[in-house]
Amino acid sequence: MIVINRRWEKYAVVSVMTALSLVVPWIGLGLGAANNGDEGYMNLCIRDYQNSPLAMLTFYIGHLWTSLFGDSFLTIRRLGYVMGTLAILIGCIYYFQRTRKMLQAAFLFALGCAVMSLERFLIYNWDVGAYPYYALLAVLVIDDIRRPRIWKVIAAGFTMCMLAMSRIQLVILMPVFAVMVAMPVRRDLKMCAGHVLAYLLSVSVAFVLLTWVMCGSVSSYINAFSQDNIITGHGLKDMMRTYYIFKDKFAVNISAFSLSLSVIICLLYTS
């Protein structure tokens, strides 16, 4: 068993492991051929994000990304990788901030990257685009439960709005998190009402700001919800199709997963 005690050794191990965890899944992004199904459609939504109200923030971010780096299939896949990695990083940073255990945080990051390399969507879509907001919202609510603060409630409201605008179906979570920010201060009715009000106001302010940035006004965003812009067609047959898609993804990503797994083993033997 290798024991690492010196600070510089820990930094060296963390740096190497983090670099490998980032690079290994990146290699697999170009292994799958571009398809004209969901991936092609999502890329078209990026080009026409103002007429994609079901996930306008996801596609707006894609629009900004492609404006900087180009709109090839591989470039947009890399954005999906960045969003997934960012979600993992948010959780690991919070873990390190609470525990100050650097090697354990690096291990969790490597584990997350390994799982992502196997399970992740190969494409950038409204699922992947919402990942960082899931992670950030979870961290804010967990920390607010531990130590309630009004700024955390406001930040949670902004994040909840971004989550919903990344995939509109997730708006159903808004009342759930309203209850969660109220629970830590439920014994003080005045404070409880203040936290819920702050949460709802921050959601509303974020909604106005985001719609203004993305399409110029709230009304323009609402008007985008036309029949032509709503996607339908999913049903029970998708279950079997999902099974075969998973098999394909496993075949594409198994090498990247194996390499990431070796990173985890190295971490276990050096911590």
Side-chain angles (χ1 to χ4, degrees):
M1 177 72 71
I2 301 173
V3 179
I4 297 177
N5 292 319
R6 296 179 183 177
R7 181 178 292 272
W8 72 266
E9 291 177 335
K10 291 184 178 181
Y11 278 115
V13 170
V14 168
S15 298
V16 171
M17 296 303 101
T18 301
L20 288 174
S21 300
L22 289 169
V23 171
V24 169
W26 182 277
I27 296 172
L29 293 175
L31 296 179
N35 70 77
N36 293 321
D38 283 350
E39 184 170 21
Y41 180 76
M42 293 293 160
N43 291 2
L44 289 174
C45 287
I46 289 173
R47 294 188 177 188
D48 192 24
Y49 69 91
Q50 289 185 335
N51 287 314
S52 305
L54 298 183
M56 192 177 290
L57 181 58
T58 293
F59 299 130
Y60 177 69
I61 291 172
H63 166 73
L64 296 178
W65 178 270
T66 55
S67 297
L68 292 173
F69 303 109
D71 61 353
S72 69
F73 279 90
L74 183 57
T75 299
I76 298 174
R77 285 181 183 179
R78 285 172 177 164
L79 175 58
Y81 167 81
V82 169
M83 297 297 273
T85 304
L86 180 59
I88 298 168
L89 188 61
I90 288 170
C92 293
I93 288 174
Y94 181 68
Y95 178 83
F96 174 71
Q97 187 266 330
R98 295 290 303 127
T99 66
R100 296 297 171 183
K101 294 180 178 179
M102 186 168 51
L103 285 179
Q104 288 185 13
F107 164 75
L108 291 174
F109 182 76
L111 177 63
C113 289
V115 172
M116 182 177 70
S117 71
L118 175 64
E119 183 274 336
R120 63 169 170 76
F121 285 103
L122 191 61
I123 67 176
Y124 175 70
N125 61 8
W126 46 36
D127 294 293
V128 177
Y131 285 172
Y133 312 120
Y134 282 119
L136 183 57
L137 191 56
V139 165
L140 287 168
V141 171
I142 290 170
D143 204 60
D144 185 61
I145 292 172
R146 185 182 65 86
R147 192 176 182 184
R149 290 290 185 273
I150 193 68
W151 71 264
K152 298 174 188 176
V153 173
I154 294 171
F158 270 82
T159 307
M160 179 64 240
C161 182
M162 296 171 75
L163 179 64
M165 297 191 77
S166 294
R167 187 172 186 180
I168 196 63
Q169 297 93 327
L170 299 177
V171 73
I172 64 172
L173 296 177
M174 190 170 73
V176 175
F177 284 102
V179 172
M180 293 186 72
V181 298
M183 287 298 291
V185 291
R186 63 188 181 279
R187 299 181 186 278
D188 187 331
L189 293 180
K190 184 177 180 180
M191 185 178 293
C192 182
H195 278 218
V196 172
L197 180 60
Y199 169 79
L200 295 176
L201 284 175
S202 60
V203 170
S204 302
V205 171
F207 175 73
V208 172
L209 290 175
L210 285 172
T211 53
W212 179 75
V213 169
M214 292 188 297
C215 47
S217 67
V218 174
S219 60
S220 296
Y221 175 75
I222 294 174
N223 291 336
F225 282 88
S226 66
Q227 186 174 356
D228 292 337
N229 293 335
I230 305 300
I231 303 169
T232 59
H234 288 292
L236 294 176
K237 293 182 179 179
D238 289 348
M239 295 178 65
M240 185 58 67
R241 181 171 174 269
T242 300
Y243 166 73
Y244 288 112
I245 289 175
F246 177 79
K247 287 178 61 180
D248 292 340
K249 287 181 180 177
F250 183 86
V252 168
N253 295 299
I254 187 60
S255 58
F257 175 75
S258 300
L259 289 172
S260 296
L261 195 59
S262 67
V263 173
I264 296 171
I265 294 171
C266 289
L267 280 171
L268 288 174
Y269 276 92
T270 55
S271 59

